Amino acid sequence: DAKTTQPPSMDCAEGRAANLPCNHSTISGNEYVYWYRQIHSQGPQYIIHGLKNNETNEMASLIITEDRKSSTLILPHATLRDTAVYYCIVPHSGGGADGLTFGKGTHLIIQP
Amino acid sequence: DTGVSQDPRHKITKRGQNVTFRCDPISEHNRLYWYRQTLGQGPEFLTYFQNEAQLEKSRLLSDRFSAERPKGSFSTLEIQRTEQGDSAMYLCASSLKVVGSSTGELFFGEGSRLTVL
């Protein structure tokens, strides 16, 4: 998988937008960016993924820079339940397991 | 509930004993993955199946570990002669892989927590 770099932790006030950055400077042209999160004592949960264009769903928005070397996950109105570890992943394409390689992610703490 | 289910949720065993975990994926999913997660770390890939075929195994999967998916539905992960270093959360995930598409969304179970005394 293309290497990703995320800050180890971030704080955000409840009700504010949480912006989680991710660097993936070695990403290839056909590799997607995926975001998952893991709430304490639960399995990881898919959030969103994208290739080139910005994406939005009911959980979050994904902004990918034009050169695709970085992206930002945006939780528009963070709640206490959004406290979790957020993983940015670029799966290797063109063979292999396609299994996602998780790093240590960003521990997002939503403050009341 | 039609999500991924894992059993047992917790297992405490003595060193040297064998343990087996079961995973029931989402019914129409053709891919099934096993991951291991230790405290403070992200999940680590162990192995995955496309239908009943085991297509890749991580070097983390020692000879004491064996996984099966006999009919392309549920899967088992067995650990023989457990060691204290095997203590971890074992996560199962499934997905529907469509040829030519990206990896797709993985749906994870709640995990099976193993404690080896």
Side-chain angles (χ1 to χ4, degrees), chain A residues 67-89:
Chain A
D67 63 8
R68 302 208 330 117
K69 293 185 177 181
S70 66
S71 60
T72 301
L73 180 75
I74 302 172
L75 308 178
H77 304 288
T79 70
L80 297 178
R81 288 174 294 181
D82 292 322
T83 292
V85 178
Y86 288 77
Y87 298 99
C88 169
I89 303 164

Side-chain angles (χ1 to χ4, degrees), chain B residues 65-86:
Chain B
F65 287 69
S66 62
E68 295 182 343
R69 194 183 183 197
K71 297 183 180 179
S73 57
F74 74 91
S75 175
T76 58
L77 176 68
E78 181 183 16
I79 308 174
Q80 296 181 327
R81 305 180 303 282
T82 53
E83 302 173 355
Q84 288 184 327
D86 298 330

